[in-house]
Amino acid sequence: MSFPAFRSRRLRRTEALRRLSQEVDLSARHLIAPLFVKEGIREPVPIPSLPGQVQHTVPSVVAEVGELVELGVGAVILFGIPARKDPLGSGAWDEDGIVQQALRALRREFEDRVVLVADLCLCEYTDHGHCGVLAEGPETVDNDRTLELYGRVAVSQARAGADVIAPSGVMDGQVAAIRHALDQAGFPHVAILSYAAKFASAFYGPFRDAAESAPRFGHRRSYQLPPAGFRAALRRVEEDIAQGADAVMVKPALLYLDVLREVRQRFSVPVAAYCVSGEYAMVHAAAQRGWLDLQAAMSEVLLSIRRAGADWILTYFAKDAARTWRA
Ligand code: PBG
């Protein structure tokens, strides 16, 4: 008998054999591109800590989504930056707010050819930068008063044309509150993608520059999940599904692939993974120094997230990846 008998390299010998044997596919249709729209600017404003990303105007976001649709990207998720902030974050449910304007323009332009997801949070809209109403007592944020406001925001986003509402503030009961508000207002068909396993991560830094949403004091550790909280994340996912989440998210993605894997195996709803701003910035920073090959690193990052079990990937790489994979 010749040695070794098991020669796995036989199926890796040529590009054609490797292609035939590839276990996980990458496709633009799984990708969700995060986009920022800012009120009161005339031209798009580049975001230094997120190379290639900008704060959009309404016309520029329409143009950007046109390119993404053309490239086959499955969905976009919108974040708004209002001209004025206040203690309650009332810009978030303004019928003429920046996200509502963008949603209406995108729906008009693209009809049902792209999925429109609206991120639902108050941190971009409050003057203190927290994700809900400040509490009187020891808690930073008043959970239950915040839920009422989330309901209003969800309804205004649905009215403006969102297919999916994605609450990212990690308040307890947010899915039930939003589901109830949507159903009452005549939007039973609008879906909820819950940021269920959202960890209090150091990797949101560039996003907070982009969304102008860093908390003015304190931190988000009393509402976002602890980075060591594997079981805490599973409990939270279970709860959000019980409250009616149509899909759930794990965030960040790369640093929490173990959580992603487990959520995929235990639950049957679609699972999204958010490759966050810091994960994107890391790859770009290394590539700028010539320490990594950008395209190869990008594809490997996205492949790892798919392999761990993500159905959908929220990523700032969406456009570059779609271009690379098409070519
Ligand atoms: C707002 C929100 C954040 C992100 C998405 N929605 C920031 C935060 O929680 O502070 C982070 C996304 C990213 O880093 O790419 N609640």
Side-chain angles (χ1 to χ4, degrees):
M1 188 178 102
S2 74
F3 178 84
F6 174 60
R7 290 187 183 274
S8 63
R9 290 172 53 173
R10 286 179 196 126
L11 295 181
R12 293 183 209 133
R13 193 172 49 82
T14 67
E15 185 53 38
L17 282 163
R18 288 193 291 275
R19 199 182 328 118
L20 181 70
S21 311
Q22 175 151 340
E23 295 179 40
V24 176
D25 275 316
L26 290 170
S27 156
R29 75 185 174 85
H30 308 294
L31 302 181
I32 303 179
L35 298 172
F36 302 95
V37 257
K38 183 169 174 169
E39 196 171 23
I41 53 171
R42 284 153 183 256
E43 294 295 327
V45 179
I47 305 160
S49 54
L50 283 178
Q53 308 295 311
V54 303
Q55 294 174 322
H56 283 284
T57 63
V58 172
S60 81
V61 87
V62 171
E64 180 71 10
V65 174
E67 288 184 47
L68 292 166
V69 170
E70 185 58 32
L71 287 164
V73 171
V76 297
I77 180 166
L78 298 182
F79 297 91
I81 305 132
R84 267 179 305 281
K85 303 183 188 233
D86 62 30
L88 293 183
S90 64
W93 64 84
D94 182 349
E95 292 300 324
D96 205 31
I98 187 67
V99 161
Q100 287 79 358
Q101 288 181 36
L103 285 169
R104 278 194 294 268
L106 291 168
R107 185 57 75 210
R108 206 180 307 125
E109 183 74 20
F110 302 105
E111 297 176 339
D112 284 336
R113 284 181 292 136
V114 62
V115 175
L116 299 179
V117 185
D119 178 86
L120 190 166
C121 196
L122 296 178
C123 62
E124 300 93 344
Y125 300 89
T126 52
D127 51 15
H128 44 76
H130 279 286
C131 302
V133 187
L134 293 187
E136 307 283 331
E139 301 263 10
T140 327
V141 172
D142 187 324
N143 191 88
D144 301 6
R145 280 183 65 210
T146 299
L147 294 183
E148 263 175 68
L149 304 185
Y150 282 7
R152 286 196 219 175
V153 181
V155 170
S156 81
Q157 292 175 334
R159 203 173 278 140
D163 295 297
V164 181
I165 307 293
S168 64
V170 209
M171 296 299 132
D172 284 319
Q174 63 183 10
V175 174
I178 291 167
R179 185 71 272 158
H180 180 75
L182 289 172
D183 292 352
Q184 288 291 307
F187 298 102
H189 53 280
V190 170
I192 299 175
L193 162 59
S194 182
Y195 286 67
K198 176 174 174 178
F199 293 88
S201 173
F203 285 76
Y204 304 152
F207 173 95
R208 292 178 188 173
D209 296 340
E212 303 174 12
S213 66
R216 290 290 145 84
F217 63 89
H219 50 73
R220 306 208 203 286
R221 292 193 289 277
S222 65
Y223 41 103
Q224 298 180 349
L225 275 53
F230 185 84
R231 279 175 285 129
L234 297 178
R235 176 71 186 93
R236 181 65 207 227
V237 169
E238 185 181 22
E239 180 60 26
D240 281 12
I241 294 171
Q243 288 180 22
D246 299 282
V248 294
M249 194 193 298
V250 175
K251 173 187 174 192
L254 273 188
L255 296 166
Y256 296 85
L257 292 177
D258 55 335
V259 177
L260 174 58
R261 183 73 184 165
E262 191 70 18
V263 170
R264 167 70 298 149
Q265 279 176 340
R266 282 201 196 198
F267 303 99
S268 57
V269 298
V271 180
Y274 198 145
C275 183
V276 300
S277 57
E279 295 174 326
Y280 173 86
M282 251 182 343
V283 174
H284 267 278
Q288 267 166 20
R289 296 183 170 208
W291 292 352
L292 285 178
D293 178 279
L294 184 63
Q295 308 244 299
M298 170 184 76
S299 289
E300 192 173 334
V301 161
L302 298 174
L303 182 71
S304 75
I305 298 169
R306 282 283 292 164
R307 193 190 58 235
D311 297 294
W312 304 335
I313 306 176
L314 293 88
T315 175
Y316 304 96
F317 287 122
K319 191 161 141 191
D320 285 347
R323 277 209 197 105
T324 304
W325 301 341
R326 162 185 278 200

